[in-house]
Amino acid sequence: MDRQAGVGRRRGLREAHYATRVWRMFDTVSVRMIVIILLSAGPIAVIGGLQAWYSYRHTLAAPAFRADMAVSRIDLEIRHDVDHLSALLNAINLMSLDEQAIGRTLQLAQSLTGHFYRQLALLDDRGNVVVAIDSGSPVLPGGSVPAEELPRFSGDVRVAPLDLSGQDPEGRSYIRVSIQTMIADTGGNPVRQGFLTAIMPVVWSRHHLQIGDPRLDFIQKDGAIDAWIVGRDHNIAPLCEDCWRMRVPPPQVLRWIRTLPLDSTARATMTMGDASFAYGPVEGGVGALTMTRRNVAETHALVMFVIWLFVIVSLLGCGLIGVAKSANILLVAPLRRLTASVALWQTGGGEFDARSTWAMPAEIRRLAHAFTRATRTLARHEQRLARASMRRELLLKEMHHRVKNNLQIVASLLNLQANRIRQPEAREEFTQARDRVRALATLHRYLYADGELFSLNMEHFVSELCGQIFQAVGESAGGRIALKIDVERLEMVPDQAVPLALILTEVVSNAIKYAFPDGRHGTIAVGLVREDGHMARLWITDDGIGLSAGRQREMDDRTGIGLQLIRGFARQLGATLEIVEDGGTRFELVFPLQRRDDPDEGEEPA
């Protein structure tokens, strides 16, 4: 538990030290001005930075957006081709032609389109080829079409994908469009049901497209977009047969495509370096992959973003450094010079020299001049106060000297009067009164002799007072009765020193007289120490016969005035008095120390 408490204490000290260091960082004018500038210019910088970051992100996302839009355009163009082919087959269907006429019509359509279609065919009701117009080798397995892929009713158009990678050297994908029709005889009378079928490659060729076709802009040889058709087996073929720039996408893109589900309708994009790729399904059950790169304008925008960011940070940093340097030159340095002048004035005294120059700001010059005028006025007041204090101290010393002399005269008179009295009890009363007056005289002598008019050094005072008491009673401190003193160097105000001196006089004199009768030897110990900063403890002990056996009887015979005085002075000190008899007598007082009230030097902590 102690170890955990120690760890927690050390952690708390480290945190407090860290907090102090952080606060000291913000304890200078330069740093505070920088913080103010940052707080004022920070929102504008943040808004500008967010706008630049948004433009940067938009520029980075532009290639991916164009690639995704290219996929949408490919899908739209393939749908347009499918609709155009469906319209062609519907037009032939409405002619009610026989097999030979349908064949000639299909051949005419193939010629007009420039052999754009891989195959135009007429099928019977079981899917077998009746008439076929091929632009190359046959593409239909076994020359027939599965019945489930044919239209179900008249007017229905069926679109089916064909992935002929096993037969086509290029591994390209095709779209088959089928429509139900009625085959007529030579007279135009319908005789049996059949199906018109067209197989169209998904790829485009520039010589198949007419002038003005929008796809020509899309498949320019030096265009910004590359496109591929992705079959159901993830085979890749360029969208444009005669204008491709990159035959096969990078291996990373091919691996990425293989991770995408074929039946998904969602689109996906990825960025690799300065190129962005987009993949998505298109009409006919195949997919389209497009790639676009950042153009010159976008690259320029990115470069300008980096330059603009560097310029903003550089300007802000230069501005903050300039503010810090300017604040140091125009404000901090003059304040430091002013502070140094104040510190020099504090140590040397006299009049204050502001050392102000015209390089200082007007406010600091006015402050320095105001401080100069104030210090001059203060110096004059200090001189007057010093003279007044000196006169006051002289008066107090003279007063204490006169009081000491008067008290010594009173003590001498009491001593002379005691010598004329024959009765021992009355002579003893005069003797004790003399000792009390001598104690007060000794206290006043210390106050004016040591120059401390508002406090008393109890270490030397107690020693001299006890020696004086021994001498007055006719004993020596090193004779039959030993004196042991343990007093700290303690400063005490006169208001407390007076009752303390009277208590010492009363207790020590009674101990000398009554604790060691019949020539007994013993020791009297006196101690005064500080406790808890603002408390003091006084003890007076002896190893004599005890209070009840000796002094109590004598005090009772003299009406007990000595014990009454001790208790009265203890109340004046605000002390708790404890009298203990255990192999002697012990008087112990614990009392609070009063603060020194010196109008010249202020309060002194207890």
Side-chain angles (χ1 to χ4, degrees):
M1 184 65 67
D2 294 339
R3 184 176 180 181
Q4 293 179 355
V7 172
R9 192 180 304 109
R10 287 193 297 271
R11 185 184 296 111
L13 291 176
R14 286 196 299 268
E15 293 176 354
H17 180 66
Y18 178 75
T20 303
R21 291 183 60 185
V22 172
W23 170 247
R24 286 178 179 176
M25 290 176 57
F26 296 94
D27 202 24
T28 60
V29 176
S30 300
V31 175
R32 292 186 180 183
M33 291 184 66
I34 290 175
V35 171
I36 292 173
I37 293 174
L38 287 177
L39 291 177
S40 59
I44 299 177
V46 169
I47 293 174
L50 289 177
Q51 290 180 347
W53 177 253
Y54 175 78
S55 177
Y56 172 74
R57 296 297 300 175
H58 180 73
T59 303
L60 287 181
F65 177 75
R66 289 200 306 272
D68 186 70
M69 293 300 296
V71 173
S72 300
R73 185 174 175 183
I74 291 172
D75 181 45
L76 181 63
E77 294 296 340
I78 292 178
R79 288 178 182 273
H80 179 267
D81 290 341
V82 171
D83 293 340
H84 183 271
L85 182 57
S86 300
L88 174 63
L89 296 181
N90 272 316
I92 297 174
N93 180 37
L94 296 176
M95 292 181 183
S96 299
L97 304 175
D98 57 7
E99 296 176 1
Q100 290 77 10
I102 289 176
R104 291 191 298 270
T105 304
L106 293 176
Q107 189 173 6
L108 177 61
Q110 179 74 327
S111 300
L112 293 175
T113 57
H115 305 283
F116 179 70
Y117 302 112
R118 186 60 181 268
Q119 183 185 66
L120 294 175
L122 173 64
L123 309 180
D124 59 14
D125 55 357
R126 291 190 297 273
N128 297 319
V129 178
V130 177
V131 177
I133 305 300
D134 299 333
S135 61
S137 58
V139 297
L140 298 178
S144 63
V145 177
E148 61 272 10
E149 295 185 6
L150 296 174
R152 298 292 182 180
F153 55 88
S154 178
D156 184 18
V157 178
R158 178 66 55 84
V159 179
L162 290 178
D163 192 359
L164 304 180
S165 57
Q167 300 181 18
D168 192 284
E170 301 293 335
R172 291 173 291 188
S173 297
Y174 299 84
I175 296 176
R176 181 176 59 232
V177 180
S178 301
I179 186 170
Q180 189 175 0
T181 184
M182 293 299 297
I183 303 174
D185 56 12
T186 54
N189 299 315
V191 293
R192 60 190 174 89
Q193 186 175 350
F195 299 92
L196 292 174
T197 299
I199 296 177
M200 177 185 65
V202 181
V203 296
W204 302 335
S205 297
R206 285 185 294 173
H207 66 275
H208 289 159
L209 302 178
Q210 299 177 357
I211 298 176
D213 195 306
R215 287 176 289 182
L216 289 174
D217 298 333
F218 187 83
I219 60 175
Q220 290 180 1
K221 190 170 184 178
D222 297 328
I225 297 177
D226 283 337
W228 297 268
I229 295 298
V230 182
R232 289 180 295 175
D233 294 335
H234 294 103
N235 55 307
I236 301 293
L239 178 65
C240 180
E241 286 184 330
D242 51 1
C243 59
W244 54 270
R245 295 181 301 277
M246 185 183 295
R247 184 68 178 179
V248 180
Q252 300 91 326
V253 178
L254 296 178
R255 288 193 295 269
W256 169 64
I257 292 175
R258 293 189 181 95
T259 61
L260 300 176
L262 294 174
D263 55 350
S264 175
T265 58
R267 296 181 182 178
T269 59
M270 72 170 294
T271 300
M272 188 173 62
D274 64 340
S276 295
F277 296 85
Y279 172 80
V282 296
E283 178 68 19
V286 295
L289 174 67
T290 59
M291 186 273 290
T292 182
R293 299 181 183 275
R294 286 196 294 266
N295 53 31
V296 177
E298 292 167 349
T299 304
H300 177 73
L302 294 179
V303 173
M304 290 304 298
F305 167 76
V306 175
I307 295 175
W308 177 247
L309 184 63
F310 176 76
V311 169
I312 289 178
V313 174
S314 300
L315 290 178
L316 185 60
C318 293
L320 294 179
I321 294 174
V323 168
K325 293 295 184 181
S326 302
N328 185 62
I329 295 173
L330 300 177
L331 185 61
V332 177
L335 286 177
R336 286 176 180 171
R337 288 195 293 268
L338 182 60
T339 303
S341 301
V342 172
L344 183 63
W345 170 74
Q346 287 179 338
T347 56
E351 293 186 0
F352 172 71
D353 183 11
R355 298 180 184 178
S356 61
T357 62
W358 289 106
M360 290 183 177
E363 293 82 1
I364 298 181
R365 291 201 306 271
R366 286 195 291 268
L367 176 62
H369 295 159
F371 200 83
T372 301
R373 292 192 296 270
T375 54
R376 289 175 180 174
T377 305
L378 182 60
R380 290 193 293 269
H381 283 296
E382 285 181 348
Q383 292 175 359
R384 289 195 293 268
L385 289 175
R387 290 193 294 268
S389 177
M390 186 178 299
R391 289 194 296 269
R392 179 187 175 210
E393 289 183 0
L394 291 175
L395 291 175
L396 285 175
K397 286 183 179 181
E398 182 66 20
M399 181 188 69
H400 286 302
H401 181 64
R402 292 180 180 274
V403 169
K404 186 265 300 182
N405 291 338
N406 293 334
L407 289 176
Q408 285 182 343
I409 293 173
V410 172
S412 299
L413 292 176
L414 290 174
N415 189 38
L416 291 174
Q417 189 68 33
N419 293 332
R420 296 174 60 86
I421 297 176
R422 302 300 179 187
Q423 296 178 353
E425 293 82 1
R427 186 169 58 250
E428 180 65 22
E429 293 293 337
F430 272 85
T431 302
Q432 288 197 359
R434 178 202 64 190
D435 294 339
R436 292 162 186 156
V437 172
R438 281 181 176 176
L440 295 178
T442 302
L443 185 145
H444 281 277
R445 183 176 65 80
Y446 261 88
L447 285 175
Y448 84 85
D450 292 346
E452 294 292 339
L453 303 177
F454 304 99
S455 64
L456 195 67
N457 184 357
M458 300 303 294
E459 181 181 9
H460 300 95
F461 173 71
V462 172
S463 299
E464 182 174 345
L465 181 61
C466 292
Q468 180 178 300
I469 295 172
F470 267 72
Q471 184 178 3
V473 179
E475 296 284 347
S476 61
R480 180 176 64 91
I481 303 174
L483 176 62
K484 182 179 179 181
I485 297 177
D486 182 14
V487 179
E488 290 184 352
R489 185 176 180 83
L490 185 65
E491 298 290 334
M492 187 174 292
V493 297
D495 290 341
Q496 286 190 309
V498 170
L500 187 67
L502 295 175
I503 291 174
L504 277 171
T505 302
E506 197 69 31
V507 176
V508 173
S509 61
N510 286 335
I512 296 172
K513 294 176 183 178
Y514 306 114
F516 306 100
D518 303 328
R520 291 185 57 173
H521 291 262
T523 302
I524 298 176
V526 178
L528 178 62
V529 295
R530 184 193 297 266
E531 289 186 346
D532 298 333
H534 63 283
M535 301 293 291
R537 181 166 61 90
L538 170 69
W539 69 88
I540 308 167
T541 63
D542 64 71
D543 53 359
I545 62 176
L547 182 65
S548 59
R551 283 170 289 179
Q552 185 65 50
R553 181 181 68 255
E554 299 296 338
M555 287 183 178
D556 289 342
D557 293 342
R558 299 190 309 276
T559 68
I561 187 174
L563 193 58
Q564 292 178 13
L565 289 175
I566 293 172
R567 287 173 175 163
F569 291 139
R571 285 193 298 271
Q572 184 177 347
L573 283 172
T576 57
L577 174 62
E578 184 178 2
I579 304 174
V580 180
E581 291 188 75
D582 185 9
T585 306
R586 178 182 179 89
F587 286 79
E588 184 169 327
L589 295 90
V590 179
F591 57 94
L593 289 172
Q594 294 181 6
R595 291 181 179 272
R596 175 180 173 180
D597 189 11
D598 189 343
D600 292 335
E601 300 182 10
E603 292 187 352
E604 179 183 11

